[in-house]
Amino acid sequence: MSVDIALVLVILVGTVVLLATGTLRTDLAALLAMVLVTVLGLLPYRDALSGFSNPAVLAMAGMFVISAGLARTGVAELLGRRVIRWAGRGELRLMTAITLVSGILSGFINNVGVAAMMLPVVVTVANRTSLPPSKLLIPMAVGAQLGGFTTLIGTATNLLAADALREAGFEPFGMFSYTPVGLTLLGAGTIFIAFGGPRLLPKRDPKTGAGRPERPGIQGTIDLHSRLFFLEIPEPSPLDGKTLAESLIGSALGMHVLALDRSGQIRRAPGPQTVLHGGDRILVEGRPDYFLELRGRRHLALEGETISPEWLESPQVGLARARIAPGSSWIGRSAAQLDLGAKHDVLLLSLVRGRDVHLRTHVVDIPLEEADKILLQGSRDRLRDVGEGSEIEDLEFLDPSEAVREFDLSERLWALRVTDNSLLVGRALGDTRLGDAAGFLVLAIARGEEEGAREVIHNPGPEVTLKRGDQLLVKARADDLAVLRGLQRLRIDQDAPVDPGILDGGDAGFVEVVLSPRSSMVGETLRQLNFRERYGLHVVGVVREGKAVESDLRDEVLRFGDALLLYGSRRHQRGLARDPDMIPLHSPEMDAPEFRLAPLSLFVTLAALVPVIFGWIPVAVGILGGAFLMVVTRCLKPEEAYRAVDLPTLVLVAGMLALAGALDRTGAAELVGSTLLNSVSGLGAAVVLAALVLSTGLLGQVVPGSALVVLMAPLAVTAAQMLSVSPYPLVMAVGIASNSVASPVAQPAHALVMAPAGYRMKDYLRVGLPLTLLVLALTIVVTPLVLPF
């Protein structure tokens, strides 16, 4: 074994481990492999980068756009509704119809796209027929996966397997080369679901795990009854005459204000400008623990001493003025969204916009604009680092008195002492909610009685633990200090149970959504997204992998497959249907797709595929032409087309193509192929095919199919050449086996339906294990019958 072969095999094993364990994002793992094979001289850099211009990769990009166009015009929804209406209300017929409809659509639309389009349709059908969604959503996802095997463009793995043949000098698969095998698998899977589904699929409350759900799906998983209660404003109160936004009930107490009871009249989903009065009863959602600790005690005492300059600066910490530079990536984003404290270790204290417009209240939540003059506090070294970047300009250090005068902070800085019996004692600063309560910004903590022995902690991090007698330098409004006292005097009514049903009405209610496959919200927190301000809706619950998330939702990083329970006015809910980040599961007043363009989008798809079917033009050219037509015919907006392209998947495939090229160039692929062949020598091509299918199917449960087929298809070609048999059955079988049929780990379509149906991992195992064995067995048997050796 040569050094080059050893190196590329080490990279191969390392990449497979990264992909299987999820230690690194799949696209980054593939990109790392591409860089390594290039830097180590295992593949010329032009060959390594050629994956980005590979016809299969370009065809995949085009199919993402065509799928998005068909989705936007409601083609799948129209077909799904009509067929499911024909199926009636019977469980068996519905399971069969949903599996077949999803399978047929998936032959021409990306399987994750089919799942996203069919998800709200199937949930609506479940509600109307009184069937649990858990009986119907796995059949929908299974159909979407199996239907992808029926045509060349059904899945990315089919295109990549065909490209492996082209690279080896063979004629690639045609549009319907997969159809006989794919239809067999779809038919067998449908029969399995029809006869095995009623027994294997759960019929239970997603929350309790038994019986029929009273409210199936996401709302049934979140225990709202224990999180709803009334707060009453006494008379008189500092909150009397304040708006909801000014009252800070939501931010300071970590609660959602869902309704207002005034003299027996319920006002649902009150807006932030709603004025509060003494005697109002406020229906809130959240945990009362912090409020119960907050009320009735004096936790912070206002100190009368003058603010010492040492509180604001030191040899290491300083104040600096700067301007937002033209073209800065900070423009349009707030300090909270930018996470300046965590990423740059600096605080934004104030800003001046235009001609002397001072913005000092909740400044971390204000989107920045070009030429804004800002005041930052932090270590001098970090401030210089930020100043040397392209985000800000004209950085200049100021002494404290000059900074306070220029940014008009004299009436915003307060010294507060932590009292002996305060609930803050012994708590980390990040756990105290001081940043939310009254919008406090803690600039420094002075510790110790004697002036000379006093320790000053500048720009304290969230991990700093508060002690009795600590003096906090905070930036806040005097009015907000009064509001905090008003919050402590609120009365709580936890005795009378609250029926969540009173929140549903003609003007407001709950709506359930799932994050879409390419949602920009993934990896962000609700706080960073400014979700409440952006959508006008409250996130009252998050369901992940079948369970309600119990932590502080505002700072919970969202993941693909998360389902959100939202509450707010119907007017705000209507906009969700057009939002590309979320898939509403059901709402009678959602805006409809562009159904009038459905015939045109179907014509565009046919115009793109017919020339490909007859072999007049290459697959990539036809599909890219279809993507172009989708945009120019206005079935899809240009920005929607770019958003539809799944760039991480394309990068993943391009990177793995580079690794596959290195395996071939160094002779490692031939070495692995000969080793496999020797282990089953004399047993025939059928045994080699079975060995390839089983090993690929096993890896496919944890490794993305697009990455796996890029590695295994060339290996199948090599094995076929050594056996002197046709490579077509081996390559097709490997392409099919690389797709996990029913694993939410490796298959996004299954992850997408997990929360709405309340599935657990054991549900996927009960259905997925026998179905996977059936698909692999049929692939081994049927493929060589359709494509003889």
Side-chain angles (χ1 to χ4, degrees):
M1 182 186 297
S2 68
V3 175
D4 285 353
I5 291 178
L7 286 174
V8 77
L9 289 178
V10 169
I11 295 172
L12 171 63
V13 173
T15 303
V16 171
V17 169
L18 289 176
L19 293 173
T21 60
T23 306
L24 201 61
R25 277 179 43 152
T26 55
D27 52 335
L28 294 182
L31 203 58
L32 175 62
M34 175 192 290
V35 171
L36 288 176
V37 298
T38 306
V39 171
L40 295 174
L42 303 173
L43 192 67
Y45 81 93
R46 291 185 184 276
D47 293 340
L49 298 177
S50 65
F52 290 105
S53 61
N54 184 281
V57 173
L58 296 176
M60 289 168 56
M63 279 310 302
F64 285 132
V65 176
I66 291 176
S67 297
L70 292 171
R72 185 174 184 265
T73 56
V75 171
E77 188 171 340
L78 284 171
L79 178 61
R81 284 179 177 176
R82 291 187 180 184
V83 174
I84 292 170
R85 191 182 301 122
W86 165 83
R89 305 176 67 90
E91 181 179 277
L92 180 61
R93 291 184 65 179
L94 277 173
M95 283 184 177
T96 304
I98 287 170
T99 306
L100 286 175
V101 170
S102 300
I104 292 169
L105 290 170
S106 190
F108 302 94
I109 305 175
N110 175 270
N111 62 345
V112 182
V114 170
M117 288 186 286
M118 290 291 292
L119 179 58
V121 177
V122 174
V123 170
T124 300
V125 168
N127 291 337
R128 290 176 180 174
T129 58
S130 299
L131 284 173
S134 57
K135 285 290 186 182
L136 303 178
L137 287 179
I138 276 184
M140 181 265 287
V142 167
Q145 183 61 41
L146 295 178
F149 301 142
T150 58
T151 68
L152 177 64
I153 61 173
T155 68
T157 56
N158 294 356
L159 287 166
L160 293 168
D163 188 69
L165 288 171
R166 183 188 61 81
E167 289 286 341
F170 295 92
E171 184 71 20
F173 293 125
M175 178 63 69
F176 298 110
S177 297
Y178 278 88
T179 304
V181 179
L183 287 178
T184 301
L185 296 178
L186 178 59
T190 302
I191 294 171
F192 173 83
I193 289 294
F195 290 98
R199 291 188 298 275
L200 296 176
L201 290 169
K203 184 180 180 180
R204 57 168 141 75
D205 185 331
K207 174 177 178 289
T208 63
R212 273 258 333 266
E214 180 183 345
R215 296 189 66 94
I218 299 166
Q219 192 169 344
T221 308
I222 299 168
D223 185 14
L224 283 178
H225 290 84
S226 65
R227 298 173 63 89
L228 293 176
F229 55 93
F230 279 100
L231 295 175
E232 185 173 337
I233 301 175
E235 298 179 279
S237 169
L239 301 182
D240 194 345
K242 299 286 186 183
T243 66
L244 264 179
E246 293 169 338
S247 75
L248 303 175
I249 290 175
S251 59
L253 302 181
M255 298 174 182
H256 297 289
V257 177
L258 304 185
L260 185 67
D261 181 357
R262 179 172 295 164
S263 302
Q265 297 294 317
I266 297 292
R267 180 175 179 179
R268 301 179 183 88
Q273 299 309 312
T274 301
V275 178
L276 300 175
H277 299 297
D280 283 349
R281 299 177 73 236
I282 305 168
L283 178 57
V284 297
E285 183 274 336
R287 295 189 176 279
D289 311 11
Y290 182 77
F291 171 74
L292 293 174
E293 291 179 320
L294 179 70
R295 66 174 184 168
R297 278 194 283 171
R298 192 184 185 201
H299 305 285
L300 292 170
L302 185 63
E303 296 286 84
E305 66 177 73
T306 304
I307 303 299
S308 172
E310 70 168 0
W311 285 36
L312 289 169
E313 70 169 355
S314 72
Q316 293 77 35
V317 177
L319 299 168
R321 175 186 60 216
R323 287 190 183 275
I324 303 298
S328 170
S329 64
W330 291 10
I331 294 174
R333 305 183 70 190
S334 67
Q337 289 175 302
L338 294 167
D339 207 3
L340 292 183
K343 293 181 179 178
H344 299 285
D345 198 23
V346 298
L347 292 177
L348 174 62
L349 305 188
S350 184
L351 69 85
V352 178
R353 177 167 294 165
R355 293 190 173 183
D356 206 31
V357 177
H358 291 265
L359 301 174
R360 297 160 296 178
T361 304
H362 301 289
V363 67
V364 295
D365 296 319
I366 298 175
L368 299 172
E369 296 182 3
E370 182 180 334
D372 278 350
K373 184 167 66 173
I374 59 176
L375 178 64
L376 300 173
Q377 183 197 39
S379 75
R380 297 180 185 272
D381 290 340
R382 297 307 299 270
L383 287 171
R384 291 189 187 97
D385 290 341
V386 176
E388 290 171 358
S390 59
E391 313 300 346
I392 60 174
E393 59 185 7
D394 303 331
L395 181 79
E396 181 181 352
F397 285 95
L398 305 176
D399 65 63
S401 58
E402 183 181 2
V404 169
R405 182 175 63 254
E406 182 174 341
F407 287 87
D408 195 19
L409 293 176
S410 58
E411 296 182 358
R412 296 298 176 99
L413 298 178
W414 306 86
L416 303 176
R417 177 173 52 83
V418 179
T419 61
D420 290 344
N421 66 341
S422 171
L423 69 86
L424 306 178
V425 174
R427 291 193 176 187
L429 186 60
D431 297 332
T432 62
R433 306 185 68 91
L434 283 176
D436 301 316
F440 286 177
L441 186 61
V442 181
L443 308 181
I445 299 175
R447 185 167 289 165
E449 296 295 333
E450 299 295 331
E451 188 71 26
R454 175 181 291 174
E455 173 194 5
V456 178
I457 305 171
H458 296 93
N459 193 5
E463 74 286 349
V464 174
T465 301
L466 297 179
K467 298 181 179 181
R468 291 181 179 84
D470 278 353
Q471 292 177 303
L472 313 182
L473 173 61
V474 302
K475 184 175 82 72
R477 296 187 309 172
D479 285 351
D480 288 339
L481 295 175
V483 165
L484 184 60
R485 291 194 294 272
L487 292 177
Q488 291 181 273
R489 297 171 187 169
L490 288 172
R491 293 192 286 265
I492 185 171
D493 181 5
Q494 286 183 285
D495 297 330
V498 179
D499 179 10
I502 68 171
L503 292 168
D504 269 319
D507 54 346
F510 294 98
V511 61
E512 301 174 353
V513 301
V514 178
L515 297 189
S516 63
R518 285 175 286 280
S519 175
S520 63
M521 294 182 178
V522 174
E524 301 282 345
T525 67
L526 296 172
R527 188 197 298 268
Q528 292 170 331
L529 292 168
N530 275 341
F531 193 96
R532 175 73 178 92
E533 292 74 18
R534 181 176 172 184
Y535 294 101
L537 299 168
H538 295 283
V539 180
V540 297
V542 175
V543 175
R544 177 175 298 152
E545 297 180 356
K547 298 179 181 179
V549 175
E550 299 293 342
S551 60
D552 187 352
L553 296 183
R554 294 172 306 166
D555 296 312
E556 182 69 26
V557 177
L558 298 177
R559 303 179 192 171
F560 170 68
D562 281 354
L564 313 181
L565 178 61
L566 310 179
Y567 182 80
S569 70
R570 301 295 185 195
R571 178 173 60 87
H572 286 118
Q573 291 178 17
R574 293 189 190 104
L576 294 176
R578 291 296 182 84
D579 191 280
D581 289 315
M582 293 178 284
I583 304 170
L585 296 187
H586 48 73
S587 179
E589 299 184 32
M590 291 295 180
D591 294 336
E594 296 280 358
F595 289 130
R596 61 185 178 83
L597 295 175
L600 183 58
S601 67
L602 280 173
F603 173 78
V604 166
T605 304
L606 289 174
L609 297 183
V610 168
V612 172
I613 293 170
F614 286 100
W616 298 337
I617 57 176
V619 175
V621 174
I623 293 177
L624 288 175
F628 167 77
L629 290 175
M630 278 291 182
V631 175
V632 298
T633 57
R634 299 186 179 180
C635 292
L636 202 63
K637 296 177 182 177
E639 59 270 22
E640 292 172 330
Y642 281 114
R643 186 184 180 90
V645 177
D646 191 352
L647 284 177
T649 296
L650 300 185
V651 172
L652 167 65
V653 172
M656 297 308 293
L657 285 171
L659 179 55
L663 287 166
D664 181 62
R665 186 172 184 271
T666 58
E670 184 177 355
L671 175 64
V672 174
S674 61
T675 303
L676 172 65
L677 188 60
N678 291 335
S679 65
V680 290
S681 60
L683 299 179
V687 176
V688 174
L689 183 145
L692 283 170
V693 166
L694 293 175
S695 58
T696 304
L698 182 62
L699 286 172
Q701 304 308 307
V702 290
V703 176
S706 298
L708 188 56
V709 72
V710 169
L711 298 176
M712 298 300 291
L715 186 61
V717 173
T718 301
Q721 290 172 335
M722 291 180 176
L723 289 168
S724 299
V725 298
S726 170
Y728 291 99
L730 297 177
V731 173
M732 180 176 287
V734 162
I736 292 172
S738 62
N739 289 273
S740 172
V741 177
S743 166
V745 177
Q747 186 46 253
H750 286 283
L752 194 64
V753 303
M754 194 172 195
Y759 290 132
R760 306 288 191 269
M761 281 300 299
K762 65 180 181 181
D763 300 322
Y764 289 101
L765 289 174
R766 289 179 65 189
V767 178
L769 184 58
L771 183 60
T772 298
L773 294 176
L774 175 64
V775 168
L776 294 180
L778 285 174
T779 301
I780 293 170
V781 173
V782 176
T783 306
L785 296 178
V786 175
L787 298 171
F789 293 110

